[in-house]
Amino acid sequence: MRKSARYGTLAVAGLLALSSLTACANDAAGTASTGSGKGTKVKIMVGGLDKVIYLPAMLTQRLGYFDAEGLNVELLTEPAGVQAETALVAGQVQGTVGFYDHTLDLQTKGKAVESVVQFSRAPGEVEVVSTKAAGDITSPKDFKGKKLGITSLGSSTDFLTKYLAVKNGVKVSDFSPVAVGAGATFISALQQGSIDGGMTTDPTVATILDKKAGKVLVDMRTPEGSQKALGGPYPSSSLYMQTDWVNGHKDTVQKLVNAFVKTLKWMSTHSAAEIAAKMPADYAQGDKALYTQSIKSTLPMFTEDGVMPENGPETVEKVLKAFNTNIQNADVDLSKTYTTEFVEAAK
């Protein structure tokens, strides 16, 4: 039983060709992380397997919870959530680990997609400014005329950057969003002055601070940070799937949700160091302490049970309506953008 929901751009040529942690981890969608090879086969596209905000995807596989549910899950990766979304809509994968806000945007485009388990209650995103530009950008009110990095156009970093601007009196047309990906490409753009600031996640944030390449302007890695910046809880990373596929494969979806809920519970009772130790060694890029710190900084965003946070969908709709004309002109049915059916059964 489903519950209703109460509760134009500048690009940096060549930058995305540089090696980044996301690319190193899985070379976009070119390679995959596969399970045991036994059980029901499911392909899941992740908007950056190495990103801490999407950590539950790889961690679930490393803990063996997919195997325990009789699933053979193949994890693929794209550097941005919007590209992962595209793979889902095209039918290349059965599920996407990405931001919940895409389900609202897709509904306005006639696509029925829903979150089946909610990993987080805050975006996990951070708006940083370069050390050089820190004196000129002291709040989002100073975005006018600036070049701001995002992972890609139409991504959640794009959405949230636009909201912060509009909320602070800056028109979307007053600044230049620059698609620079994450990891090394983002950091390089920041250091070279190709962007004045931008929105990214850990472990990129931790590396920027360690290199003293930039400073934190807006921190949305905690529920408190989300409340301050966005006015409420902002459900972000989730497993979302096409509604028709969910309805036709409920047993498989339930097994996936069972596995992810086990992981979220495991995360809530283990330290950042213990979590880091379970992840692929190359995710730490040779600095385990820094990688552990990046996990510790982001852990508060995660739910413990996979349940959609109360009033979360309404916050997301409010944020998107501030700048997204598709949602401004549509009557979004929030009850169709997520379901609690499977997490309730997983409990």
Side-chain angles (χ1 to χ4, degrees), residues 280-322:
D282 62 337
Y283 283 19
Q285 282 195 306
D287 194 332
K288 183 172 285 189
L290 189 63
Y291 182 59
T292 299
Q293 179 57 47
S294 73
I295 293 175
K296 184 177 181 180
S297 298
T298 305
L299 271 179
M301 72 175 278
F302 292 106
T303 68
E304 297 179 5
D305 53 14
V307 174
M308 176 65 74
E310 186 174 357
N311 299 322
E314 288 82 0
T315 302
V316 172
E317 183 180 34
K318 179 199 72 174
V319 166
L320 296 182
K321 275 191 172 182

Side-chain angles (χ1 to χ4, degrees), residues 127-197:
E127 183 71 25
V128 298
V129 294
S130 70
T131 302
K132 182 179 179 180
D136 297 326
I137 306 175
T138 59
S139 84
K141 293 179 181 180
D142 301 320
F143 282 176
K144 187 174 182 178
K146 300 299 189 291
K147 296 173 291 184
L148 302 177
I150 56 175
T151 51
S152 66
L153 297 178
S155 66
S156 295
T157 54
D158 187 17
F159 291 164
L160 289 171
T161 300
K162 287 176 178 175
Y163 176 74
L164 290 179
V166 171
K167 179 187 176 185
N168 287 276
V170 179
K171 297 177 182 178
V172 171
S173 58
D174 286 342
F175 68 92
S176 300
V178 185
V180 292
T185 54
F186 186 101
I187 297 168
S188 177
L190 200 66
Q191 292 175 320
Q192 294 176 11
S194 300
I195 57 174
D196 300 300

Side-chain angles (χ1 to χ4, degrees), residues 58-70:
M58 178 58 74
L59 182 58
T60 301
Q61 190 174 86
R62 303 282 284 192
L63 290 172
Y65 291 158
F66 289 138
D67 288 345
E69 291 290 333

Side-chain angles (χ1 to χ4, degrees), residues 240-272:
Y240 63 82
M241 315 178 88
Q242 296 205 57
T243 300
D244 284 347
W245 199 90
V246 171
N247 291 337
H249 302 81
K250 289 199 171 189
D251 183 58
T252 299
V253 176
Q254 186 64 63
K255 291 176 179 179
L256 284 167
V257 174
N258 290 346
F260 280 125
V261 169
K262 287 178 188 176
T263 296
L264 292 168
K265 289 180 179 177
W266 188 92
M267 289 170 61
S268 71
T269 58
H270 289 75
S271 68

